Amino acid sequence: MGFNVPDLKVRTDIIPNIKTRLALMPDKVGEFPFYCDIFCGSGHEDMSGVLIVT
Ligand SMILES: [Cu+2]
């Protein structure tokens, strides 16, 4: 799986059952869509959300 926040130029691979850490220092506030950018099977189309930076 992948975690991609294109507006913040951040992405990483995600491996199921393994903890993944991602450090980021946003330089702007707002709502930034994220999504899985690697086709990973059933439910892939629903792997998205919004990262809120305040
Ligand atoms: Cu996926």
Side-chain angles (χ1 to χ4, degrees), residues 1-2 36-41 44 47:
M1 299 177 189
C36 176
D37 64 357
I38 299 173
F39 181 75
C40 55
H44 169 77
M47 294 179 180

Side-chain angles (χ1 to χ4, degrees), residues 4-34:
N4 192 335
V5 191
D7 292 341
L8 297 178
K9 298 181 174 59
V10 172
R11 85 156 306 280
T12 189
D13 291 337
I14 298 174
I15 299 170
N17 300 315
I18 295 180
K19 187 179 292 184
T20 300
R21 293 175 188 254
L22 173 68
L24 66 135
M25 185 70 72
D27 60 357
K28 51 191 171 187
V29 299
E31 297 185 3
F32 306 97
F34 65 83

